[in-house]
Amino acid sequence: MTVCEYKPGLEGIPAKQSSISFVDGHQGILEYRGIQIEELAKHGSFLETAYLLIWGTLPSQEELTDFEREIRYHRRLKYRIRDMMKCFPESGHPMDALQACAAALGLFYSRRALDDPAYIRAAVVRLLAKLPTMVAAFQLMRKGNDPVQPRDDLDYAANFLYMLNEREPDPLAARVFDVCLTLHAEHTINASTFSAMVTASTLTDPYAVVASAVGTLAGPLHGGANEEVITMLEEIGSVDNVVPYLDGCIAQKTKIMGFGHRVYKVKDPRATILQSLAEQLFEKFGADEYYDVALELERVVSDRLGHKGIYPNVDFYSGLVYRKLGIPTDLFTPIFAIARVAGWLAHWKEQLSENRIFRPTQIYTGTHGEPYIPIGERQNADDQDQLTGLITE
Ligand code: CMC
């Protein structure tokens, strides 16, 4: 076997063959099943896109109607899941709540028949249908309110905003939210999708697959960056403070949130669409105080760091869109998960069709033949005090 060069973060190493999505990071192209993201954002809906990703072709009208109907039917949560959520601390992060609830679905739907298309379909429908209800329910319950039941007369995006805000959304807000879901639905082998694939390759249940992916998406270098962008814009505070803030980041080698990407070396095409969605919302509902700061930051970062390929990624403008839709900042990443579950499920299904368990190798850097020292003869490690401090927290 040839010994491969070690690439930290597996940069540039193909982890699988896939026909689900494609990114050209130099030209700023993203396609789902060969269709450009701009086309899907303009003409499609999120559920149509989810169907395309998971089953490989755009649904006929009849197929889409059936799929939407099944999803409406499965939106409700079992009361035991709601009871479980009541025990979660209000201060807990909604991503942790979502991960726990996604995993809990495996307790209720424990039959595992990975070679049965009806089982696959039921799992897809349940996960797409129930994740939004979980996020909205946690939001209401942590404020001490009962969750709002889903409404069968509302489509996927409108129903989520209704469950969250307890009122029917404006049609533009619902349409913009639906496009946001489409934009976040899939993105080749990113960290959370890789996590989903590794979990799927053990032939565990799809709820464990999605739960592992939700946990991975939560980190600030991945989906969690959309929250950090808003914190950063608040910290910058004004257009005049953009240059001093950036100087500080560059001097301290701090990453600027919402910028940079392993694959894109130009502005992420999703960021361009999200920026235009934000502008549509500002036109109808009023401007966001931080939009000018964001524009100036994009200008200055592109100027200073563009030579390294550092441009806005999907997380840079999504937060400004969600803020205008009245969504609290710590729900931004759970919303990313509601959308990305379509991609995770597409990769789950693709993984099952040609499965081989993931079992990479390593380059061992440790020692060999060390003696076993009896416990009474061992010295404290130099950093023992530091470790103890961490553990007691
Ligand atoms: N701000 C300033 N410099 C940056 C940034 C940034 N946001 N991102 C990368 N760089 C620089 C980095 O300092 C390094 O410079 P040098 O070669 O001089 O040391 C170079 O660009 C390569 O950076 P890297 O960290 O090796 O790149 P990576 O491919 O490992 O990381 C990334 C990609 C997305 C984790 C990184 O760009 C980052 O941390 N960005 C900020 C967090 C963020 O916005 N994440 C969302 C990613 S997109 C959506 C998603 O995945 O959820």
Side-chain angles (χ1 to χ4, degrees):
M1 193 182 131
T2 11
V3 179
C4 302
E5 187 193 346
Y6 166 55
K7 294 275 196 168
L10 300 183
E11 181 171 4
I13 309 280
K16 74 182 297 206
Q17 294 188 324
S18 177
S19 60
I20 299 170
S21 63
F22 168 81
V23 172
D24 180 329
H26 292 280
Q27 294 193 66
I29 294 171
L30 168 61
E31 293 171 342
Y32 294 169
R33 301 283 187 188
I35 304 177
Q36 290 215 347
I37 192 66
E38 289 80 2
E39 291 292 294
L40 288 162
K42 194 166 173 191
H43 306 294
S45 71
F46 171 65
L47 285 186
E48 188 183 15
T49 303
Y51 189 103
L52 168 74
L53 289 167
I54 296 164
W55 280 285
T57 52
L58 283 170
S60 67
Q61 184 59 62
E62 192 185 340
E63 286 166 335
L64 182 60
T65 306
D66 286 349
F67 188 48
E68 287 174 343
R69 185 172 30 76
E70 283 172 58
I71 285 181
R72 273 168 217 253
Y73 183 76
H74 286 278
R75 280 171 178 167
R76 280 166 186 72
L77 298 180
K78 298 229 178 252
Y79 79 85
R80 285 196 167 110
I81 295 224
R82 288 205 306 272
D83 285 355
M84 183 180 92
M85 289 168 97
K86 278 186 200 153
C87 303
F88 293 170
E90 288 131 37
S91 57
H93 196 285
M95 273 304 260
D96 294 329
L98 184 63
Q99 188 184 25
C101 291
L105 286 179
L107 291 162
F108 295 95
Y109 308 102
S110 55
R111 176 178 164 258
R112 194 181 305 159
L114 300 176
D115 50 1
D116 176 358
Y119 172 86
I120 303 272
R121 174 136 180 151
V124 164
V125 165
R126 265 186 213 119
L127 281 157
L128 280 165
K130 293 187 193 300
L131 258 56
T133 317
M134 290 168 178
V135 173
F138 182 68
Q139 168 62 9
L140 277 121
M141 287 161 84
R142 69 178 169 170
K143 291 195 294 186
N145 299 331
D146 278 331
V148 170
Q149 287 300 316
R151 265 201 21 210
D152 288 353
D153 59 322
L154 295 177
D155 69 22
Y156 196 78
N159 174 61
F160 175 72
L161 294 175
Y162 164 74
M163 290 188 298
L164 195 64
N165 298 321
E166 300 182 76
R167 60 171 188 276
E168 244 182 82
D170 175 275
L172 175 67
R175 173 63 193 152
V176 163
F177 187 68
D178 193 73
V179 177
C180 289
L181 295 178
T182 298
L183 296 177
H184 287 84
E186 158 65 7
H187 208 246
T188 72
I189 312 300
N190 50 82
S192 58
T193 302
F194 187 46
S195 172
M197 281 160 44
V198 172
T199 310
S201 80
T202 69
L203 301 184
T204 185
D205 70 69
Y207 310 105
V209 169
V210 168
S212 70
V214 171
T216 309
L217 184 69
L221 295 189
H222 192 9
N226 55 16
E227 288 183 31
E228 308 270 340
V229 167
I230 295 298
T231 312
M232 175 185 72
L233 293 176
E234 285 169 353
E235 206 179 314
I236 298 174
S238 71
V239 170
D240 292 345
N241 197 30
V242 166
V243 170
Y245 180 88
L246 189 62
D247 286 342
C249 290
I250 293 174
Q252 290 165 30
K253 296 192 185 302
T254 316
K255 295 270 178 68
I256 301 129
M257 288 292 131
F259 284 85
H261 198 279
R262 175 65 61 82
V263 184
Y264 290 115
K265 299 303 161 206
V266 294
K267 186 169 177 176
D268 185 328
R270 299 166 298 174
T272 306
I273 302 172
L274 283 158
Q275 184 176 3
S276 115
L277 294 175
E279 284 172 359
Q280 287 174 42
L281 291 176
F282 300 156
E283 203 169 300
K284 181 154 186 188
F285 303 112
D288 184 293
E289 56 183 315
Y290 293 120
Y291 187 50
D292 286 344
V293 177
L295 288 178
E296 179 64 359
L297 187 61
E298 176 177 351
R299 190 186 69 74
V300 183
V301 171
S302 309
D303 211 33
R304 302 258 191 101
L305 300 173
H307 65 282
K308 286 192 195 176
I310 311 294
Y311 289 98
N313 60 46
V314 68
D315 291 320
F316 190 56
Y317 287 108
S318 62
L320 291 175
V321 171
Y322 297 149
R323 257 163 74 93
K324 207 70 223 166
L325 297 176
I327 297 171
T329 309
D330 65 357
L331 292 193
F332 295 176
T333 320
I335 285 166
F336 194 155
I338 290 174
R340 186 56 61 84
V341 74
W344 296 331
L345 290 168
H347 285 274
W348 168 59
K349 196 164 162 289
E350 188 173 70
Q351 185 65 37
L352 292 181
S353 68
E354 50 196 32
N355 190 51
R356 189 157 189 228
I357 191 167
F358 277 93
R359 198 347 179 154
T361 187
Q362 63 171 10
I363 296 169
Y364 179 62
T365 58
T367 57
H368 296 282
E370 295 283 349
Y372 176 83
I373 304 170
I375 193 158
E377 296 170 22
R378 291 174 213 162
Q379 301 294 316
N380 282 343
D382 288 341
D383 54 359
Q384 193 63 39
D385 290 348
Q386 212 180 329
L387 275 178
T388 314
L390 283 175
I391 291 161
T392 49
E393 193 177 322

